[in-house]
Amino acid sequence: DPLLAGAMDGGPVTVVLVDPTATDNETAPENITFEGVRGDGLELTDPFPLGDTSITWTAKDEAGNISESCDQIITVFQAETMAMLNPDGSLVIDDVNGGATDDNFNLSVSGDNLVITSSSPIAISGVGVIQVDATTVEIPLASLTGGISIEGQGGNDLLTLETPLSLSGAGNGLILNNIDVVLSGGGELGLDALSVTEGNFDSSGGTTVVATEANFFENGTLSGTGTLSGVVNMNLDSTLDPGVSPGTLAAGDLTLETGSVFTAEVDGPTPDTEYDQVVVNGTVTLNGATLNLLGGYANALEDIIVLIDNDGTDLVSGTFDGLAEGDEIAFGDFSGTITYTGGDGNDVALLGTPAQRPFVTTWQTTTTNENITIPTTGTGYNYSVDWGDGSSDSGVTGDITHTY
């Protein structure tokens, strides 16, 4: 059969050859010997150059009879990506040429094998790795015990994960660097851990179950809709960007560290269809992350925008950078305040009501038992008055009169 081999940096490549098979009426298969002659005159153990090299094979039986010859073609191609299965069971997919081209990768499961396809040629290394063709590689799932690391090396690489896909067992996670990711197939992606740096992980409406933690680092982004189940940590210079203009993303315990960014589009008062939302099944910790609000509609006083819908009764820990409870929020045509006890009492929300500010005024009475009235216009009031004479009123919803 023809044999394919990928070369990095122009080759040549050492190719491990397997003897052909032959049958003979008088000689057992194990006693048949083979001889191969390369078309370029080099030894079979010498590296093969780029392009096609022919090998002419003959077989000899115990009586010394020599078979008719057959030819095999060894094709060495220039590869851009290396797929290397290490002895510890870890798989490294490295786009060695980086920004030379923008590559599209696809990971899927066929039977008991993980299938890797690419828009550019792939070279392989490691025991058990199968070169199906220049752009397709298969690896037995049983050999993957140390996780998968994918390095984009720059450029605009895209990885599509065809679900269902499961990497089970401690340490069998997914490390992504310099590559964007989308989920496809409608099944579940199961990982021990997830790490994203310099790339966008688009949940794409799918479900990702992480047994330990999902960590997003410098220029790493979690976006889209669907579910990322498990602990989610947004670290320095990472971005949480839920929705798809807009939409809802569900997560487990959520921590936004200092220097991370929460981005949300707000174009109306309806979650999922008019504004972005994160639904958290667990704890919410805001360690001074930056809140980045986009859009901004002309809101009504009664509007409530629940940016983080926190389940249960546990309170939100911490605040966004520079935004204390009740602080004013203004962007686009939206004007209101922020609360960390909104919704059902423990959600991060924007309120259409303006910030409450005390004001002081003075008046002069000229007679005993003189009445002073504070007038109001419209509805929606709830205020308190300190009359300055030792008396006060609270919970006032309209006009109020006081007698001095």
Side-chain angles (χ1 to χ4, degrees), residues 378-402:
T379 60
Y381 292 93
N382 186 347
Y383 64 95
S384 301
V385 182
D386 182 346
W387 295 104
D389 60 357
S391 61
S392 62
D393 289 288
S394 61
V396 183
T397 59
D399 296 354
I400 187 169
T401 298
H402 180 69

Side-chain angles (χ1 to χ4, degrees), residues 12-363:
V13 175
T14 298
V15 177
V16 178
L17 299 172
V18 178
D19 284 342
T21 58
T23 57
D24 184 83
N25 293 332
E26 303 296 333
T27 303
E30 62 268 19
N31 294 325
I32 297 176
T33 59
F34 299 91
E35 181 181 12
V37 178
R38 282 174 52 161
D40 58 7
L42 298 178
E43 297 294 327
L44 294 180
T45 53
D46 288 337
F48 285 76
L50 288 176
D52 294 340
T53 300
S54 65
I55 301 177
T56 299
W57 293 97
T58 55
K60 181 187 292 185
D61 64 13
E62 289 180 309
N65 298 312
I66 298 176
S67 69
E68 293 182 0
S69 64
C70 65
D71 290 334
Q72 182 183 30
I73 301 298
I74 308 298
T75 300
V76 177
F77 56 86
Q78 175 62 48
E80 180 169 325
T81 299
M82 171 65 76
M84 180 170 58
L85 181 62
N86 295 308
D88 63 0
S90 63
L91 173 66
V92 177
I93 303 173
D94 191 354
D95 182 13
V96 177
N97 287 346
T101 59
D102 296 333
D103 298 319
N104 293 323
F105 297 95
N106 185 289
L107 264 62
S108 62
V109 172
S110 178
D112 295 326
N113 289 344
L114 176 72
V115 181
I116 307 167
T117 61
S118 173
S119 57
S120 299
I122 310 174
I124 63 172
S125 174
V127 178
V129 184
I130 303 166
Q131 186 92 53
V132 178
D133 56 43
T135 59
T136 306
V137 172
E138 292 191 9
I139 300 171
L141 286 169
S143 300
L144 294 174
T145 58
I148 300 176
S149 177
I150 302 178
E151 173 61 66
Q153 298 284 6
N156 295 307
D157 290 353
L158 177 66
L159 169 66
T160 300
L161 297 173
E162 296 283 351
T163 58
L165 173 61
S166 178
L167 297 174
S168 59
N172 217 351
L174 183 62
I175 300 173
L176 303 167
N177 190 24
N178 264 303
I179 191 166
D180 293 334
V181 177
V182 296
L183 303 188
S184 180
E188 183 177 283
L189 173 64
L191 303 170
D192 179 62
L194 175 65
S195 173
V196 179
T197 306
E198 298 279 351
N200 178 37
F201 186 93
D202 185 347
S203 191
S204 310
T207 298
T208 300
V209 177
V210 178
T212 56
E213 293 185 348
N215 278 286
F216 293 80
F217 298 100
E218 183 178 5
N219 295 324
T221 299
L222 171 59
S223 68
T225 60
T227 301
L228 178 52
S229 176
V231 175
V232 178
N233 297 319
M234 307 304 299
N235 296 287
L236 178 67
D237 292 332
S238 66
T239 300
L240 176 58
D241 188 6
V244 184
S245 293
T248 299
L249 178 68
D253 293 344
L254 175 64
T255 298
L256 289 117
E257 296 289 1
T258 302
S260 66
V261 178
F262 181 97
T263 295
E265 181 180 354
V266 180
D267 295 321
T270 306
D272 193 52
T273 59
E274 292 184 315
Y275 71 83
D276 294 325
Q277 184 182 75
V278 174
V279 176
V280 175
N281 297 300
T283 61
V284 178
T285 303
L286 306 177
N287 289 330
T290 298
L291 178 61
N292 178 35
L293 297 171
L294 306 176
Y297 70 103
N299 58 288
L301 291 176
E302 65 271 16
D303 287 352
I304 300 175
I305 309 298
V306 179
L307 298 176
I308 302 178
D309 185 353
N310 184 18
D311 74 335
T313 58
D314 57 303
L315 298 178
V316 174
S317 175
T319 65
F320 285 114
D321 183 33
L323 293 172
E325 174 70 26
D327 276 0
E328 284 186 314
I329 288 285
F331 61 103
D333 293 326
F334 187 95
S335 178
T337 56
I338 189 169
T339 179
Y340 302 92
T341 58
D344 57 4
N346 64 341
D347 301 331
V348 180
L350 307 180
L351 305 179
T353 52
Q356 300 291 321
R357 289 193 183 92
F359 70 92
V360 177
T361 187
T362 60
W363 49 76

